Amino acid sequence: MIPSSPPSNAEPRPGSCRLATRSLDDEEIRAIADSVYRSDNPMRFESVRYSALMFEHAGYAIARATDMRTAARSPQTITLGGLVIDPNQRTVHLDRPEIDLKTREFDLLELLARHPGQVFIRSQLLDVVWPRSYEGDERTVDVHVARLRFKLSEPQPPRLILTVHGIGYKLAAPKMRLV
């Protein structure tokens, strides 16, 4: 007699590990765990699973692009008043002349410009703009902001990159005219 397979809605057998979440299947979780954690870490699969579950619990979903053309779409130019940032050419113009920025300065300004008015704490800026291997102090953000302000010829007090005292930085949101 051939044993019948359990119905699809049955609980997994003891000893078998079901890792899937709403967004990731078992193989995807195993692939992420193998790429992120050392192979001798017995909790690597569960760590990725719990991270995905927390992400989903917060209301997000892990999605894969179905069409690579949409995933490879180039970022659009950002224009805020006289400030023009072209991510494709990696150029910045303020009232026409081009401003020469270093990599981190450009990335920092681009992030702030994509979210005008949003306050970023230093650790958020470090997480997004600096490489994961960076082990320096959070105050490097202050130095880069000071260099950006100098290169953008910001007056005192600054009007473009604003300091939110005790918190971090934000880019001034463009003023909206009511018609």
Side-chain angles (χ1 to χ4, degrees):
M1 177 172 230
I2 301 173
S4 63
S5 61
S8 60
N9 62 355
E11 291 294 316
R13 289 176 291 151
S16 70
C17 183
R18 179 158 160 56
L19 298 172
T21 66
R22 282 180 291 173
S23 300
L24 298 172
D25 63 27
D26 291 358
E27 291 307 312
E28 290 167 325
I29 289 178
R30 285 188 176 90
I32 293 169
D34 287 340
S35 69
V36 174
Y37 293 99
R38 292 181 3 192
S39 61
D40 62 346
N41 181 347
M43 297 301 293
R44 66 186 185 272
F45 303 123
E46 284 300 314
S47 298
V48 172
R49 179 177 183 272
Y50 286 128
S51 297
L53 288 172
M54 289 188 328
F55 189 71
E56 291 169 356
H57 182 71
Y60 297 97
I62 301 166
R64 290 166 283 302
T66 55
D67 184 5
M68 289 307 291
R69 286 173 292 185
T70 59
R73 184 176 38 204
S74 61
Q76 295 183 348
T77 301
I78 305 164
T79 305
L80 296 167
L83 178 68
V84 179
I85 302 172
D86 184 353
N88 294 322
Q89 302 293 320
R90 293 193 63 85
T91 58
V92 174
H93 297 270
L94 184 61
D95 299 324
R96 293 285 172 215
E98 186 174 336
I99 299 169
D100 185 37
L101 297 179
K102 294 184 178 177
T103 302
R104 299 277 178 270
E105 294 166 344
F106 180 88
D107 294 342
L108 181 60
L109 183 60
E110 181 187 14
L111 175 66
L112 292 171
R114 287 198 182 282
H115 308 278
Q118 180 179 337
V119 178
F120 289 92
I121 61 175
R122 289 173 186 88
S123 62
Q124 286 176 313
L125 295 170
L126 281 172
D127 288 344
V128 175
V129 175
W130 275 260
R132 292 179 81 183
S133 60
Y134 179 75
E135 294 183 14
D137 190 73
E138 285 185 353
R139 293 297 175 174
T140 192
V141 173
D142 300 341
V143 173
H144 282 76
V145 167
R147 287 182 186 158
L148 264 174
R149 286 176 173 160
F150 176 77
K151 289 181 178 183
L152 295 171
S153 302
E154 283 260 66
Q156 288 298 340
R159 286 184 264 176
L160 186 61
I161 301 174
L162 305 175
T163 301
V164 180
H165 292 284
I167 308 288
Y169 298 98
K170 69 178 181 176
L171 194 77
K175 296 201 174 23
M176 304 297 271
R177 285 188 282 155
L178 297 175
V179 179

